[in-house]
Amino acid sequence: MTDDTTTGIALYDRTARDAAAVVISAYSTSFGLAARLLGGRVRPHVRNIYALVRVADEIVDGSASQAGLPASAQRRVLDALETETLAAVDEGFSANLIVHAFARTARECGIGADLVRPFFASMRTDLDVTEHDALSHDSYVYGSAEVVGLMCLQVFVNAGGTQPRPADPDLVDGARRLGAAFQDVNFLRDLPHDVGSLGRDYLGVGDAGAGAVSRLEVLDRIDADLDAAGAIIPRLPADCRRAVTAAHDLFTALSRRLRRSGGTSARVRVPNGVKLGLAARATVGAAPLRAGS
């Protein structure tokens, strides 16, 4: 008798999940550390989401350009990836292993086009928008980061269940604010590279125009979002809290270091030893750190 876990769709699903895990381990040690704190019910699904996000980001953030694709070709590749992703979510299969892994997660956990389309819209923005005002910043952050948090929340609430359901509105707000804080921290720490190498200004920090903001204003917004999200984390399912706390605390540590850096050009990092300490703290069930304290 054939073992149906080693052939057919079961094998294909497992291979797709393994491919997503390889992508994540190659691109993000910090994310890989936090993901290991997730329970087995949700860990593969979160990896599936972030693998697709990583592939899309590579199309617009340098790899495709370095391969020789002009902006018009990058847009075609990104559009094709979006089309393939939406079709796979509808149909349950893709010949692209990363897309397939994401689609299987989306179908199980209730991630629909209402979250997929805004993500790709923000990625597409990177191909032709170089300066953002407050409105376009908020729209970009929603699509590039907040919806990713909402996708993960759908996993936290629905993985392993029989029928996906919407998350509690307070959890939705917390997921959005955590995603926004993560993105703004990355914008601030990557500011010299984004402006100097990519020609993009997401924040308008230091500009003389009416819409200009200061580093302090951005950091205050980040800390408010981190604290609002941190207050909601204890309400997440138990097998998700440690990982989300570890990620939250890592970005809290980055925010603190950004405050102390005074805007120097060096990219702010958290040493590996500190990362491990934050992960250990989260593992024993400590409450999320307060930002700015």
Side-chain angles (χ1 to χ4, degrees), residues 150-276:
L150 294 175
M151 290 176 188
C152 291
L153 181 59
Q154 286 297 106
V155 167
F156 297 161
V157 171
N158 293 307
T162 57
Q163 183 66 38
R165 59 185 175 85
D168 179 273
D170 288 340
L171 294 181
V172 168
D173 182 68
R176 289 188 60 179
R177 296 191 71 170
L178 190 60
F182 287 179
Q183 188 66 291
D184 275 343
V185 164
N186 284 330
F187 286 160
L188 205 53
R189 69 198 292 243
D190 292 338
L191 187 61
H193 172 74
D194 287 343
V195 174
S197 298
L198 300 178
R200 298 176 191 157
D201 184 357
Y202 294 101
L203 297 170
V205 170
D207 285 353
V213 296
S214 69
R215 288 183 82 258
L216 183 59
E217 288 175 311
V218 175
L219 285 164
D220 286 347
R221 181 176 72 217
I222 288 168
D223 287 351
D225 284 338
L226 285 169
D227 283 343
I232 297 299
I233 290 174
R235 294 177 52 185
L236 291 173
D239 58 354
C240 309
R241 290 177 206 146
R242 295 181 301 169
V244 179
T245 296
H248 170 279
D249 290 357
L250 171 61
F251 278 81
T252 297
L254 283 167
S255 177
R256 292 174 179 175
R257 287 169 182 266
L258 284 164
R259 282 187 186 274
R260 294 198 297 267
S261 75
T264 61
S265 59
R267 191 172 193 265
V268 171
R269 299 181 183 274
V270 175
N272 288 337
V274 175
K275 291 179 184 179
L276 291 172

Side-chain angles (χ1 to χ4, degrees), residues 26-132:
Y27 276 96
S28 178
T29 56
S30 296
F31 178 83
L33 177 63
R36 286 194 288 274
L37 297 178
L38 289 167
R41 176 182 70 93
V42 297
R43 187 186 309 116
H45 292 297
V46 172
R47 285 174 173 161
N48 293 347
I49 291 168
Y50 274 89
L52 180 68
V53 167
R54 183 72 258 172
V55 170
D57 196 54
E58 287 301 302
I59 296 172
V60 299
D61 257 3
S63 292
S65 176
Q66 291 167 18
L69 273 67
S72 58
Q74 292 171 43
R75 179 180 292 274
R76 287 196 300 272
V77 171
L78 188 66
D79 289 349
L81 182 61
E82 178 182 15
T83 298
E84 184 172 12
T85 299
L86 291 170
V89 172
D90 285 342
E91 298 165 2
F93 185 86
S94 173
N96 179 321
L97 287 173
I98 301 303
V99 172
H100 181 83
F102 175 86
R104 300 297 279 189
T105 287
R107 288 166 67 86
E108 179 175 329
C109 300
I111 298 169
D114 60 320
L115 298 180
V116 173
R117 289 191 185 280
F119 168 72
F120 279 97
S122 283
M123 293 299 96
R124 200 172 289 112
T125 298
D126 277 335
L127 296 174
D128 49 34
V129 176
T130 58
E131 293 186 5
H132 289 267

